Amino acid sequence: MKLKSYKNNQWQQIYNGCNRWFIRPFKNHNLPVFILLVVVTAFLCVTAFPVAATLETQHIAIGVSIQNPTAQTQDLLQQGKVLYEAGQFAEAVKVLQQAVKSFGSQGNELQQAVALSNLALAYQKLGNLPPAQQAITDSLKLLEKSSNSQNLQVLAPILDIQGSIQLDLGQAEQALNTWQRAEVSYKQLGDRNGIIRDRINQAQAWQVMGFYRRALTILTQLQQELQSKPNSVSKAVELRSFGNALQLAGDLNQSRQVLQQSLSIAQKLDSPQDVSAALFSLGNTAQVQQDLKGAIQFYQQAAAIAPNPISKVQAQVNQLNLLVNAGQTAAVQTLLPQIQTQLAQLPASVTTIYAQINLAQSLMKFGTTPEAIAKICARALQQAENLADKRAESFALGTLGSVYEQTKQWSIAQNLTQQALNIAQTINAPDIAYRWHWQLGRLLKQQREIEGAIASYDTAIAELQTLRSDLVVVNRDVQFSFKESVEPVYRESVELLLQFQQTHPSEPILDKARQRIESLQLAELDDFFREACINAKTVLLDTVVDKDNPTAAIIYPIILPDQLQVIVKIPKHPLRNYTVNKSQNEVEGTIKQLREYLLEPDRTEEVQALSQEVYGWLIKEIESDLKDRGVKTLVFVLDGILRNIPMAILYDGQQYLVEKYAVTLSLGLQLLALKPLTQTKLNVLAAGLVQPPQGFKQQFPPLPEIKSEFDSISQAIASTTQLLNRDFNSKNLESKVNTVPFNVLHLATHGQFSSSVENTFILANDGPINVTQFDSLLRRRDQTRSEALEMLVLSACQTATGDNRATLGLAGASVKAGARSTLASLWHISDKSTAILIGEFYRELVKNEVTKAEALRRAQVKLLKDYPNYSRPGYWAPYVLVGNWL
């Protein structure tokens, strides 16, 4: 189907408020405020930002007595405010430039500073950051010329604006310092609301810099302060901002509670605007929680009570997207005409543009005809062009390029995408640019320009790497998905590299491919925790197997849509790869079935048959090489669903893999600096719980064999400190962590690994300890003790049923503990067999001084061969070693 080819100037500006589809750090700046000084009162208006569509407007009166400007000049500020709030930022810029000149000619420096700060806001909204930065700098210079009470009253909000611009420029540390200065000014003014808003923004700056705990501490303190305030519209707005910040921090349950409180206050005060805004934010949080039904209901309610048409449309567009994703065709067809009618009647504004683009994105997934989608985009594009919004212009061009991509009109799509990319680069917006590099790579690939496509993917991933700290605080608004917007960039790049490798064999290309998958795994962990996780000094695994441990080989399977690629590193040999002609669907089907059979009794034959098939994929090709090189340990860097099964159960027709090799897993090609455990005296801190706490007894059975598990540890290792049952609570654990010397933390209790941070935990007597709490528990220890945590043992945990990414939680637990290696179980099994295996593991470590991987292998083989009741793979196989295997 051929689309009409629009003129180039129609393709220029589309997508600033469409950030729901595209990664852009969500600035929770309630602070950027349009300041309007009049003769007696200054109105400080907290405006809505389309990124999060928080729909916020708050008016806070500040008494100011100033020199009376001419009515005409003051009216320019009022006009600028009206245009700004209507989303007509380019027009606001023109009016505010006149105001700046007029106040300057009058010698009214205070009003000129205010006009400049508002001008900076308008430029910021247009995505034009250099002039925004210059305007706010000029504003502050004017204020610094004189010091009086009037200047102080406008200094704080102007600093707020400066901080928001700095954060947009990627200057998080400068933004933090600026907001701290603003807080000091608000304290001098006695403005508690200003202080609270600044602290929320400071928390966000800490998050961007990767200081998650610092941010969470600030937010927790704010919560306590907000609770003590009397109910007011201001409190409802601040709670809403706080709830949004908690959502960004990944504390979704707490976010929902705070937003519910904001909603309750707004309802009591009969403020429809704040009720609608709270419902909208609740919809965003519910969506991130995967509560799609709840999210749809919240958006529906937000639209029903919205006091203005644009707020109503924003909520309806979000609702429509979820209905499309849920396949509710009838509901989509009912809601769509309402949205289209309302959008046609709304005046042009940035918010309207983004509503249209979000609608277009949803309709692309719904299967609406490309012509209809192109018309929506073209209208939004023309409006954006008229408003001179560069971010919108870039999004417009790129989105329309994707419409042409769908219709396979490659040259037009490429032209539009290149224009979009040029603009994104001009305004220094890597969060947009990566998207268009990716799209350009796809288009070049379709036109068989493979080397150009590889270069485009390389640049897209380089942009993502620069955004790494921002990725953790992305506003996961309704249409954003890591699996849709980030993961495919890496996977498609790897597929392209490996295809190129087939015709242009090259070890550097193989190396690039596997490093790219490693980068994806690190990005997955960052996405899981909402913070950058791996910042420690690392060493390449290749160096380890070539020099330090030349009896280990690395096996790197990569799941592609149409095939399974396996990259192998054998000691002192160059990288090699081979292809398995199994599609992603076939691989996932086999692994899913194998995992199910492993958990069922009397399925040993089926397990062996499927395990033999997987053995054929991963090992058979290199059997002779492994034998010839004397390889004793296999290090697997697993991809996707392959993480859900233990590699130890792979079967060659006669033996399981664990009978021939020690088996270990790695998070990627890099590893925390290696040190063999045999060179270290073991000191164990062991904590265990026989009976699950109240509220978890139906979910988890008792673990009566924990005492014998602890006895076996004590027999093997003299230096053991124990916390059992009632003594094992979060307070006691923290105390022991900070006072007892240990390098092995052994937790014998129920727990669960999940693809969600909230659902990844271990159970103590006083309830669950979330995976993020490992950080606060063990980081304090790191500050006072130089002894590294050599090993974390989680002997009774399991991965969440039906969660294909649950092993992210296992990897996350290891990362959060800061452990060199982690021994854990993929599913819960008999605690009696666990006690035997754990005892054998520690005995082998201490008595025979073997590597951790070999100690685990021997313990598993012991169960397999010497304990007939536990010979089934379901008993010995679930234990996996992650990280340092030496």
Side-chain angles (χ1 to χ4, degrees), residues 743-779:
N743 53 15
V744 176
L745 178 60
H746 184 108
L747 300 175
T749 179
H750 282 296
Q752 179 171 280
F753 307 127
S754 165
S755 58
S756 161
V757 168
E758 291 183 309
N759 295 321
T760 297
F761 59 86
I762 60 165
L763 288 178
N765 191 59
D766 56 346
I769 299 176
N770 188 271
V771 65
T772 56
Q773 292 176 259
F774 278 112
D775 192 29
S776 57
L777 274 172
L778 296 167
R779 194 71 62 88

Side-chain angles (χ1 to χ4, degrees), residues 501 505-513 575:
Q501 161 76 11
S506 164
E507 188 178 12
I509 290 177
L510 284 181
D511 188 46
K512 182 194 273 191
L575 289 175

Side-chain angles (χ1 to χ4, degrees), residues 448-637:
R448 293 186 173 83
E449 296 180 33
I450 302 303
E451 293 187 60
I454 289 174
S456 290
Y457 272 99
D458 287 350
T459 310
I461 287 167
E463 296 277 21
L464 280 173
Q465 298 288 58
T466 66
L467 286 169
R468 186 179 174 202
S469 63
D470 286 343
L471 284 174
V472 306
V473 288
V474 160
N475 176 40
R476 295 190 186 180
D477 206 352
V478 289
Q479 295 184 28
F480 172 78
S481 165
F482 178 87
K483 290 188 72 66
E484 290 179 2
S485 300
V486 176
E487 185 174 345
V489 188
Y490 288 92
R491 291 200 177 280
E492 290 168 14
S493 170
V494 169
E495 183 178 15
L496 196 60
L497 287 168
L498 292 176
Q499 286 176 356
F500 190 68
Q501 161 76 11
Q502 291 176 1
T503 54
H504 300 75
S506 164
E507 188 178 12
I509 290 177
L510 284 181
D511 188 46
K512 182 194 273 191
R514 63 175 188 160
Q515 287 193 42
R516 195 137 290 173
I517 283 291
E518 177 203 1
S519 297
L520 170 60
Q521 295 196 351
L522 296 183
E524 284 181 315
L525 279 176
D526 289 347
D527 179 63
F528 177 76
F529 282 117
R530 312 302 295 278
E531 62 175 312
C533 293
I534 311 291
N535 292 313
K537 184 179 180 181
T538 56
V539 294
L540 285 176
L541 291 187
D542 284 12
T543 304
V544 177
V545 301
D546 279 339
K547 296 180 180 178
D548 301 317
N549 189 218
T551 58
I554 312 169
I555 301 174
Y556 209 109
I558 300 171
I559 302 171
L560 300 176
D562 299 320
Q563 59 187 217
L564 179 67
Q565 283 279 344
V566 185
I567 299 175
V568 179
K569 170 61 182 176
I570 292 175
K572 299 181 180 178
H573 276 56
L575 289 175
R576 58 173 289 195
N577 74 304
Y578 50 91
T579 303
V580 178
N581 290 316
K582 291 288 180 181
S583 69
Q584 181 175 349
N585 288 338
E586 290 175 299
V587 170
E588 291 179 348
T590 299
I591 299 302
K592 183 179 179 182
Q593 188 68 73
L594 176 54
R595 171 67 185 247
E596 290 175 4
Y597 285 159
L598 280 166
L599 300 179
E600 296 178 15
D602 305 322
R603 288 284 197 173
T604 300
E605 289 185 11
E606 290 91 338
V607 166
Q608 289 179 344
L610 290 173
S611 294
Q612 190 168 355
E613 183 178 355
V614 181
Y615 183 95
W617 301 345
L618 304 184
I619 306 295
K620 193 170 182 61
E621 179 87 8
I622 54 171
E623 273 181 324
S624 59
D625 292 333
L626 295 175
K627 186 175 180 180
D628 292 345
R629 298 303 306 173
V631 170
K632 296 179 180 178
T633 302
L634 300 181
V635 182
F636 286 91
V637 184

Side-chain angles (χ1 to χ4, degrees), residues 7-201:
K7 294 179 181 178
N8 283 346
N9 66 347
Q10 288 180 296
W11 300 123
Q12 293 183 0
Q13 306 167 5
I14 236 183
Y15 207 61
N16 192 356
C18 245
N19 302 312
R20 286 185 266 284
W21 255 106
F22 297 88
I23 287 190
R24 186 185 181 196
F26 168 67
K27 286 28 174 210
N28 189 37
H29 332 167
N30 295 316
L31 317 177
V33 296
F34 195 101
I35 306 168
L36 180 60
L37 290 179
V38 294
V39 179
V40 179
T41 307
F43 293 99
L44 196 145
C45 306
V46 181
T47 58
F49 276 73
V51 175
T54 49
L55 318 177
E56 310 206 5
T57 304
Q58 179 189 9
H59 300 275
I60 303 171
I62 306 174
V64 181
S65 298
I66 63 171
Q67 177 185 350
N68 189 9
T70 66
Q72 182 180 7
T73 307
Q74 184 63 35
D75 190 50
L76 288 173
L77 271 186
Q78 181 64 47
Q79 289 177 39
K81 177 178 183 291
V82 170
L83 290 166
Y84 179 89
E85 291 182 341
Q88 298 178 24
F89 303 123
E91 293 302 316
V93 163
K94 294 176 184 176
V95 171
L96 290 168
Q97 285 172 334
Q98 294 178 45
V100 169
K101 290 180 181 178
S102 182
F103 284 125
S105 65
Q106 295 172 30
N108 191 333
E109 292 182 345
L110 181 57
Q111 286 281 13
Q112 189 179 15
V114 169
L116 279 165
S117 67
N118 291 336
L119 178 62
L121 265 182
Y123 276 130
Q124 183 188 20
K125 280 292 196 175
L126 289 169
N128 207 349
L129 296 181
Q133 188 177 37
Q134 186 61 54
I136 202 67
T137 300
D138 293 344
S139 175
L140 287 167
K141 283 180 180 177
L142 286 171
L143 285 182
E144 288 167 0
K145 286 184 178 180
S146 60
S147 178
N148 56 52
S149 60
Q150 295 174 352
N151 284 21
L152 182 62
Q153 287 178 325
V154 297
L155 175 62
I158 289 175
L159 287 172
D160 288 342
I161 296 169
Q162 184 185 41
S164 73
I165 292 170
Q166 288 168 331
L167 200 61
D168 270 344
L169 287 165
Q171 300 167 358
E173 189 170 356
Q174 293 94 318
L176 175 65
N177 293 333
T178 300
W179 283 326
Q180 288 171 338
R181 279 185 63 199
E183 182 185 350
V184 171
S185 296
Y186 281 124
K187 284 179 178 177
Q188 291 178 281
L189 293 167
D191 184 348
R192 296 305 303 168
N193 294 329
I195 293 169
I196 288 170
R197 291 194 304 273
D198 265 318
R199 286 182 180 170
I200 289 173
N201 283 274

Side-chain angles (χ1 to χ4, degrees), residues 431-449:
D431 57 312
I432 311 174
Y434 99 86
R435 195 76 196 201
W436 308 143
H437 281 297
W438 173 26
Q439 188 160 294
L440 194 59
R442 297 196 306 268
L443 293 167
L444 290 170
K445 179 186 174 184
Q446 290 293 340
Q447 297 171 82
R448 293 186 173 83
E449 296 180 33

